[in-house]
Amino acid sequence: MKPRISHGMLAGVLLLSGSSPALAETTIFEEIICRVNNDIITKSEYEEAAHLLKLRVQGQKKLSGEQLAQAVSEGEKDLLKTMIEERLLVQKAVELGMTADTDVIKYLDRLRSENNLPSIEALEQTMRQQGINPVEFRKRIKEQSLKEQVLGREVYYRIQVSTAEIKTFYEANRDKFDRPEQVRLQEILIASNGKGPSGAGGLRKRAEEVLEKARGGEVFGDLVAQYSEGPTAKQGGDLGFFQRGMLLKEVEEIVFSLRRGQITDILEGQGGFRIFKVIEKNTAGIQPLDSVKDQIRNKLVEDKAVPAVRKYMETLRRQSYIRLKDGYVDSGAEVETASAEGDQPAGDELPPAAFEGKQKK
């Protein structure tokens, strides 16, 4: 049986970009529906984004019939706005001289690993067999990385959360930090299923190499993506929280004896060789501020990020030339129009020729 690429990951990237994954082998006359500075959005890109939105909503919410149609309709209200703002972010990344080549390679390698393929070349061959253009797919991964880099540098890295804010939140929400004794674990599994006793020595050696890298300071999540063959690899190896009595006794004794951030030795058991990292640890009762301050800081950053991102996108819009063809709606235009009074080129009209279209191969 031929391997099939996990479409959950593909749809997420392609939906954000709004680009068709199909191999384009013929010349197509593309209708332009929007101009974003020197970039364009075509009708086919918009329709493909709408199609992928439907697939994502259907997959995430398990809807059908009228409920699915209503959920898709709600999502489509902001679809063109999202596509426009993504174009603006990629353009900003280019202006700032950002690159994403390394991120593309890491992403493809993780996708290769998750689909049990031997090489990137094999991954791309499988994509072609499924009608996915590898070149276009690489481009979409790159664009997604660039967008995240821009928001990281221009928005998230600029958000400040003071010690006083963290303490105030903690004091007002102490009851939310009343927890049982538990640990949150991250795992790397070097699987032995189907490999026979003769291969155990090689698998242990690989596990020892991974453990050495983990204790040598390499990012545990990166090692999960590169080496783990467990079902949690797609979630970065995150197993979630465990209270006492939920784990095998020999595993429980080890992980509960560790501090947050510590890594176990290699544990051999059913299915292969495992390495665990304690990423959170709670004693019973209300957790002390020091143990939850990072969690609080992350929440406060996220709370501040929502209006900060919105304000940043409004600024990019005011600085940009955005025009739509009649019949299409940009739900972000109201903010743009209200904020851009007096700014060029907010009130200009494009001549009909601006939307005549282009040929695409």
Side-chain angles (χ1 to χ4, degrees):
M1 180 180 294
K2 294 181 179 179
R4 184 157 188 85
I5 300 298
S6 171
H7 277 29
M9 180 177 290
L10 300 186
V13 173
L14 294 169
L15 176 59
L16 289 170
S17 67
S19 178
S20 171
L23 287 168
E25 297 179 347
T26 58
T27 300
I28 303 171
F29 190 74
E30 295 275 32
E31 179 183 347
I32 299 171
I33 66 171
C34 182
R35 290 189 177 272
V36 185
N37 294 319
N38 293 325
D39 201 356
I40 62 170
I41 296 173
T42 66
K43 183 179 180 180
S44 65
E45 288 175 330
Y46 179 80
E47 289 175 344
E48 183 62 27
H51 173 65
L52 290 167
L53 170 66
K54 180 178 180 179
L55 293 179
R56 189 179 70 169
V57 171
Q58 190 174 25
Q60 290 180 344
K61 299 185 178 182
K62 308 297 183 185
L63 300 177
S64 61
E66 291 185 6
Q67 288 183 324
L68 175 62
Q70 183 177 355
V72 171
S73 178
E74 286 297 314
E76 286 179 341
K77 290 179 181 178
D78 291 327
L79 184 57
L80 191 51
K81 168 181 176 287
T82 299
M83 295 178 72
I84 290 169
E85 294 183 352
E86 288 169 348
R87 292 290 202 278
L88 292 175
L89 289 171
V90 171
Q91 291 170 7
K92 187 65 175 179
V94 173
E95 177 188 324
L96 295 172
M98 294 177 171
T99 61
D101 294 342
T102 301
D103 291 341
V104 171
I105 296 300
K106 287 183 177 179
Y107 190 99
L108 290 173
D109 192 59
R110 186 168 81 247
L111 187 57
R112 174 204 62 75
S113 177
E114 290 177 0
N115 287 276
N116 298 314
L117 294 167
S119 65
I120 297 297
E121 289 74 17
L123 173 68
E124 292 181 344
Q125 181 180 356
T126 304
M127 286 182 175
R128 292 188 189 95
Q129 292 169 353
Q130 297 176 24
I132 301 167
N133 186 333
V135 175
E136 285 294 309
F137 188 65
R138 282 175 178 265
K139 179 183 176 184
R140 302 314 161 194
I141 299 171
K142 180 177 180 179
E143 290 177 348
Q144 180 63 18
S145 174
L146 291 174
K147 289 179 284 190
E148 291 172 356
Q149 288 182 57
V150 172
L151 290 177
R153 169 175 162 171
E154 300 295 303
V155 180
Y156 282 89
Y157 293 162
R158 298 172 186 261
I159 295 174
Q160 301 294 321
V161 175
S162 68
T163 301
E165 288 177 291
I166 293 173
K167 185 175 181 180
T168 298
F169 183 90
Y170 176 76
E171 293 298 337
N173 297 275
R174 289 175 64 91
D175 58 315
K176 294 181 179 179
F177 303 107
D178 188 1
R179 298 168 182 166
E181 183 183 17
Q182 57 185 356
V183 291
R184 183 179 178 187
L185 300 177
Q186 196 175 10
E187 75 162 351
I188 295 173
L189 169 64
I190 308 298
S192 62
N193 291 343
K195 298 177 182 178
S198 60
L203 295 175
R204 171 169 279 279
K205 183 177 180 181
R206 185 191 305 175
E208 290 171 350
E209 293 171 354
V210 174
L211 179 60
E212 183 178 357
K213 290 182 178 182
R215 289 182 171 171
E218 292 196 30
V219 177
F220 200 85
D222 291 346
L223 295 175
V224 171
Q226 187 174 357
Y227 295 103
S228 185
E229 300 168 300
T232 61
K234 294 181 181 180
Q235 293 79 46
D238 191 347
L239 291 167
F241 281 98
F242 295 90
Q243 299 177 33
R244 285 191 179 273
M246 296 175 65
L247 294 166
L248 293 173
K249 185 173 179 59
E250 56 269 27
V251 175
E252 179 178 291
E253 290 178 353
I254 294 171
V255 297
F256 273 92
S257 69
L258 300 179
R259 298 188 301 275
R260 184 174 60 175
Q262 288 190 311
I263 298 169
T264 68
D265 292 327
I266 298 167
L267 303 178
E268 183 176 0
Q270 183 178 5
F273 300 91
R274 286 178 169 82
I275 301 168
F276 295 104
K277 179 177 181 179
V278 177
I279 50 178
E280 290 186 49
K281 185 176 182 180
N282 302 324
T283 55
I286 295 177
Q287 306 303 300
L289 175 59
D290 189 59
S291 69
V292 296
K293 63 182 180 182
D294 289 341
Q295 176 187 338
I296 296 173
R297 179 181 289 106
N298 290 339
K299 174 179 171 41
L300 295 178
V301 167
E302 288 298 325
D303 290 347
K304 292 185 177 186
V306 173
V309 169
R310 183 167 59 245
K311 183 177 180 180
Y312 181 70
M313 294 313 305
E314 289 171 7
T315 299
L316 285 186
R317 280 176 168 272
R318 287 197 302 270
Q319 297 170 347
S320 301
Y321 188 87
I322 303 170
R323 286 296 172 269
L324 270 66
K325 187 173 184 178
D326 289 344
Y328 292 89
V329 178
D330 169 17
S331 61
E334 293 182 5
V335 174
E336 177 190 3
T337 302
S339 303
E341 187 173 345
D343 290 353
Q344 70 83 32
D348 295 345
E349 294 293 334
L350 284 180
F355 293 105
E356 284 182 353
K358 71 166 188 172
Q359 284 192 342
K360 180 179 179 182
K361 288 189 177 183

